[in-house]
Amino acid sequence: MAKAELNFMEFIQSFRRGELLEMGDKHLNELMDAINETGGNGSITITLPFKVNKAGQIECTPDIAVKKPRRPMGTGIYYATDDGRLSRRDPRQEDWVDDLDDRRMRDRD
């Protein structure tokens, strides 16, 4: 006769025919990918809440929370125009004309 008691690992492996273990593996892989991509830190938290139902059975509804590192978006630089719009160009700065090509052409002649 097989033993009826489960140790922690057996509980994790057998929960809903391996669903908890598969979900944990999936989240672990996603976390490792994010850490490799960003160089940041992360964590996985598994919560196993147990409660006794009205029939005297013990119920467990696990929750797996993953905190993945994110790559910072970075800063964008913009300028406000006189009418309050955004621009990538500084409206106070004049256009710079590169006359080097014109001088080269004149020097060839």
Side-chain angles (χ1 to χ4, degrees):
M1 186 163 128
K3 73 176 193 171
E5 300 89 18
L6 298 173
N7 65 33
F8 183 75
M9 187 56 71
E10 291 169 334
F11 171 78
I12 298 295
Q13 290 173 331
S14 65
F15 185 86
R16 297 190 53 85
R17 296 187 174 115
E19 184 179 344
L20 181 59
L21 184 59
E22 286 178 26
M23 187 181 299
D25 282 345
K26 176 182 171 249
H27 289 309
L28 179 61
N29 290 334
E30 290 172 359
L31 177 59
M32 291 301 105
D33 289 343
I35 288 172
N36 286 333
E37 182 181 319
T38 65
N41 302 321
S43 65
I44 297 176
T45 304
I46 301 173
T47 305
L48 302 171
F50 293 92
K51 72 176 186 175
V52 179
N53 66 17
K54 292 178 183 177
Q57 302 161 325
I58 298 175
E59 295 180 357
C60 179
T61 307
D63 182 48
I64 300 179
V66 181
K67 183 179 176 186
K68 294 188 254 184
R70 296 181 185 190
R71 175 168 286 153
M73 181 66 74
T75 303
I77 304 295
Y78 299 90
Y79 300 93
T81 62
D82 291 338
D83 59 351
R85 302 286 184 181
L86 290 178
S87 173
R88 298 288 291 167
R89 295 180 52 215
D90 186 348
R92 297 170 294 171
Q93 185 175 6
E94 293 182 27
D95 287 334
W96 183 71
V97 178
D98 182 8
D99 62 344
L100 188 58
D101 284 334
D102 290 340
R103 285 189 281 163
R104 284 185 184 147
M105 293 303 271
R106 277 184 268 152
D107 289 345
R108 287 185 189 169
D109 295 333

